[in-house]
Amino acid sequence: MTNRPAIGSHVSIRGGFGKAARSAWESGATGFQYFPKNPRSLKLKPVNTRDTEDCAVFCRAKGVVSIAHTPYPTNMGADSTNRESMVLSLRNDLEIAEACGSLGIVVHFGHFQGIEPLQGYQNIIQCMNETLESWKGSTKLLIENQAGSSGSVGTTLEELVKVRELSRFPDKIGFCFDTCHAFAAGIWNPSDTGALIKRGQTLGYWKHLAAIHLNDSLHPYASGRDRHAVIGQGYIGVKGLQSLLTAEPLHPAIIVMETEAGADGTYRNEIETVHSWY
């Protein structure tokens, strides 16, 4: 591989989106992820055009790539009584991310305990349809694979590919692959990375991959536990992560770490390590 992907980490927007972009750049990152609003609430946030434009202009000038991550309460599998709040929040996230010049907003597949599984999948598809129906921006909805801590829903590539395929707006939907989640869910065994690569190729998953969450795992393979570890300090290990990320079909636009920062408060060493893989 000759083209290096953008690499960075999740950053705080305390001080604004422009400051977040500069903070990422100053730490040696060429990409970053952020929460567009309070990560623990679906309360809508007005778009601060001065701040978002500052972010977008800076990123264009420096060649920095960004993605946003939707708030934790977002659940696309919610029933119809809660769907409107989900749709409004997702649209709000898309508007903010578009204004910041971001590639997409990462959203978890969802959960629907107590709901008949088929209805749950239909809820997800309907939520995406309503969110994207009148969306004209270039920022995409990026569905992230789950670890299995809330059940097996959303853990397989098959599910993600199928809900995208069944949506009315597949061109507005991409994927974000989380390495820790895939390991925890048991769909990726680093001793046989080729099997995952082949499965993703067969399904057409990789061609819609826009981002990777690069996280090691604090727990063993197929544990179903979503606990991130710094790269090389978990059960996956550097060799396993490198073998996956440098595989030919994985050419994501951005790689983001969601782990603790290094001793200097940045991800500079980790970013340099990942760059060395390419």
Side-chain angles (χ1 to χ4, degrees):
M1 292 175 62
T2 56
N3 295 325
R4 293 184 177 185
I7 301 172
S9 67
H10 187 96
V11 299
S12 170
I13 61 165
R14 187 177 296 121
F17 300 114
K19 183 176 180 180
R22 288 174 175 81
S23 174
W25 172 255
E26 289 165 4
S27 71
T30 49
F32 67 98
Q33 175 180 270
Y34 62 93
F35 285 117
K37 54 179 182 274
N38 185 340
R40 304 194 180 281
S41 171
L42 297 181
K43 183 179 178 180
L44 304 186
K45 177 180 177 179
V47 179
N48 182 331
T49 53
R50 178 179 294 180
D51 186 20
T52 55
E53 185 177 2
D54 179 36
C55 177
V57 169
F58 180 84
C59 288
R60 281 197 300 269
K62 299 296 185 181
V64 175
V65 180
S66 69
I67 53 174
H69 195 300
T70 58
Y72 297 125
T74 307
N75 178 19
M76 296 197 298
D79 59 29
S80 57
T81 59
N82 295 304
R83 186 174 301 134
E84 183 180 7
S85 61
M86 298 300 166
V87 170
L88 290 174
S89 179
L90 286 167
R91 282 298 298 268
N92 184 217
D93 295 338
L94 281 169
E95 289 163 359
I96 293 171
E98 177 82 5
C100 286
S102 303
L103 291 175
I105 61 169
V106 177
V107 59
H108 291 173
F109 193 83
H111 57 271
F112 33 87
Q113 289 97 330
I115 301 176
E116 198 276 328
L118 181 58
Q119 182 61 55
Y121 291 118
Q122 290 174 337
N123 290 349
I124 290 172
I125 294 167
Q126 185 62 26
C127 181
M128 293 194 300
N129 285 343
E130 291 184 20
T131 298
L132 299 171
E133 187 168 18
S134 58
W135 177 242
K136 304 300 182 184
S138 59
T139 299
K140 292 188 175 184
L141 204 63
L142 304 179
I143 314 173
E144 179 180 357
N145 57 305
Q146 297 184 171
S149 51
S150 299
S152 60
V153 172
T155 59
T156 68
L157 301 187
E158 286 84 350
E159 291 170 276
L160 277 66
V161 168
K162 184 54 68 172
V163 296
R164 178 185 180 276
E165 181 183 296
L166 292 175
S167 74
R168 285 164 43 208
F169 310 101
D171 291 344
K172 300 179 183 180
I173 300 169
F175 301 121
C176 175
F177 184 85
D178 189 299
T179 56
C180 173
H181 294 180
F183 179 77
I187 69 165
W188 169 43
N189 187 332
S191 66
D192 189 11
T193 291
L196 175 69
I197 298 296
K198 185 176 180 180
R199 190 62 186 152
Q201 287 177 305
T202 301
L203 293 167
Y205 174 88
W206 303 122
K207 64 184 178 182
H208 301 296
L209 181 70
I212 288 180
H213 282 168
L214 175 59
N215 304 305
D216 211 322
S217 176
L218 280 176
H219 297 286
Y221 173 71
S223 67
R225 302 182 70 180
D226 180 13
R227 292 294 304 278
H228 299 170
V230 174
I231 56 172
Q233 297 182 24
Y235 279 90
I236 302 175
V238 169
K239 184 177 179 180
L241 292 167
Q242 182 177 358
S243 71
L244 177 62
L245 265 69
T246 57
E248 193 63 31
L250 277 74
H251 284 188
I254 181 171
I255 294 172
V256 170
M257 287 172 272
E258 300 175 305
T259 55
E260 293 182 8
D264 64 350
T266 76
Y267 294 80
R268 190 177 298 276
N269 290 337
E270 290 79 5
I271 290 170
E272 289 178 359
T273 295
V274 180
H275 271 307
S276 73
W277 298 350
Y278 297 91

